[in-house]
Amino acid sequence: MKILDGKLVSSFILKKITGEVCQLSKKPKLTVIMVGEDPASLVYVRNKKRACEQVGILWEQISLDAKTTTTENLIKEIQRLNSDKQVNGILVQVPLPKHIYLPEVIKAINPYKDVDGFHAYNLGKTVLSMQFEDFAPCTPKGIIRLLEHYDIDVRGMDATVIGHSNIVGKPVSAMLLNRGATVTTCHIDTKDLKNHTNNADLIVVAVGKAGLLTADMVKKEVIVIDVGMNRINGNLIGDCDFEKISKKASYITPVPGGVGPMTVACLMENTLIAYKKQLNQ
Ligand code: NAD
């Protein structure tokens, strides 16, 4: 069994970005909007800030009050950032408070500044083909980068993705399909999950339920990408039974240290791409 070491691979990506940013006289800038103080989001935002500081991308954080912020005034804030030439990337940290309508918020972001890749324009491009994945969402992009680093060619593989969210499950399914895998996407209404995991060569699990994927559900030599992040008794764990599955798997990502750091590295990459696109506009 080999660990797919996201911490290591992300450090290579960050190093490359640092080198590129270093050459730029005007630095790229990422603005993150946070509404409320969701504890997990605070940790993720802190990690993103750290990565920006590491690679030399300018960081701005706008913190809005959860109770008084409405969909309309959040959109106004986004429109202001859309027209601010100093801002290259806009990221709205999710989850948002329930009274804010996320689809309208995402729609308001200029697609050229949409570094999370959640806008319908960028998601649509991601589905089209590999050539149009420049603003693919960061987590799916990070998963693909990790597989590439370890020379894992998914062409012809049977891949099962568990989870069909717009930010992970659907785009990673599309990106695996773009690379020639035969993809099955499972979700909460899937009748018999094990039936779809048993013979899979590659499994991406992105649900948010600890212990969802167990060793009896996977075949020998399977490749497992665990996206899940669950806080159990103060520890961060994924969706799969790492201890038992790692004894059967050929490759597996740890949690923490797998997909998480790859996501942050790809956010830095997307911010640099946004900067370059805006220079050319
Ligand atoms: P989500 O809540 O939007 O989607 C969850 C998905 O799981 C849905 O498609 C749902 O249908 C499916 N699901 C729920 N119960 C299921 C079951 N019993 N069997 C099969 N499918 C089931 O979640 P998300 O935003 O895609 O995130 C998923 C997980 O990944 C969460 O733990 C989240 O914290 C984590 N995450 C990690 C990163 C990272 O960088 N490592 C990034 C994004 C999300």
Side-chain angles (χ1 to χ4, degrees):
M1 183 274 302
K2 213 167 166 181
I3 292 283
L4 297 171
D5 189 343
K7 207 168 166 200
L8 180 75
V9 179
S10 67
S11 73
F12 298 146
I13 296 174
L14 292 176
K15 204 168 165 197
K16 185 169 171 278
I17 295 170
T18 308
E20 278 196 54
V21 172
C22 197
Q23 306 287 317
L24 303 170
S25 51
K26 182 183 163 297
K27 304 298 178 203
K29 179 175 171 182
L30 172 65
T31 298
V32 172
I33 307 179
M34 215 180 139
V35 187
E37 295 189 331
D38 174 66
S41 294
L42 285 171
V43 176
Y44 303 147
V45 167
R46 200 180 56 210
N47 291 342
K48 290 167 190 175
K49 181 179 182 207
R50 244 186 236 149
C52 277
E53 286 166 355
Q54 187 182 337
V55 301
I57 289 176
L58 302 176
W59 167 267
E60 178 185 30
Q61 185 172 335
I62 299 174
S63 299
L64 303 175
D65 182 72
K67 281 200 185 113
T68 55
T69 304
T70 61
T71 304
E72 289 68 34
N73 48 38
L74 179 52
I75 288 174
K76 275 208 184 102
E77 189 62 26
I78 290 169
Q79 285 165 343
R80 184 183 68 76
L81 297 170
N82 282 343
S83 48
D84 183 343
K85 286 205 164 55
Q86 303 306 316
V87 174
N88 304 108
I90 303 169
L91 183 155
V92 178
Q93 186 64 39
V94 289
L96 289 172
K98 288 203 166 42
H99 65 274
I100 298 180
Y101 188 51
L102 182 64
E104 284 299 325
V105 171
I106 299 296
K107 198 170 131 189
I109 301 172
N110 175 345
Y112 287 91
K113 296 191 177 186
D114 171 39
V115 286
D116 247 343
F118 294 170
H119 192 287
Y121 176 77
N122 291 317
L123 273 179
K125 275 177 59 192
T126 299
V127 171
L128 282 182
S129 79
M130 271 170 67
Q131 283 74 17
F132 297 106
E133 289 173 353
D134 46 1
F135 268 151
C138 304
T139 301
K141 201 182 224 189
I143 292 169
I144 298 295
R145 287 272 184 288
L146 198 53
L147 292 169
E148 282 170 355
H149 178 87
Y150 288 91
D151 287 327
I152 298 171
D153 183 1
V154 302
R155 184 165 300 280
M157 280 190 190
D158 289 328
T160 293
V161 176
I162 315 175
H164 74 331
S165 71
N166 290 334
I167 64 175
V168 188
K170 282 183 202 162
V172 81
S173 296
M175 292 172 87
L176 291 169
L177 187 58
N178 287 345
R179 286 161 179 77
T182 301
V183 184
T184 304
T185 309
C186 301
H187 45 77
I188 186 82
D189 297 314
T190 298
K191 272 189 280 186
D192 182 0
L193 190 58
K194 192 174 170 181
N195 188 33
H196 300 286
T197 57
N198 251 347
N199 292 312
D201 303 307
L202 168 71
I203 300 175
V204 178
V205 54
V207 171
K209 282 187 186 160
L212 182 87
L213 189 71
T214 50
D216 62 308
M217 295 169 74
V218 305
K219 72 173 185 184
K220 264 192 156 184
E221 300 295 302
V222 65
I223 300 165
V224 176
I225 308 288
D226 191 349
V227 185
M229 295 210 276
N230 308 288
R231 287 243 166 239
I232 308 286
N233 302 327
N235 296 322
L236 187 64
I237 63 166
D239 287 346
C240 82
D241 180 347
F242 181 86
E243 207 188 309
K244 295 212 175 91
I245 293 182
S246 58
K247 293 198 175 97
K248 282 179 100 173
S250 56
Y251 293 91
I252 189 165
T253 59
V255 178
V259 177
M262 292 301 295
T263 299
V264 177
C266 287
L267 173 65
M268 298 301 110
E269 191 181 290
N270 278 2
T271 306
L272 188 55
I273 292 170
Y275 172 91
K276 288 179 190 165
K277 276 185 190 287
Q278 287 154 42
L279 273 188
N280 293 335
Q281 262 183 345

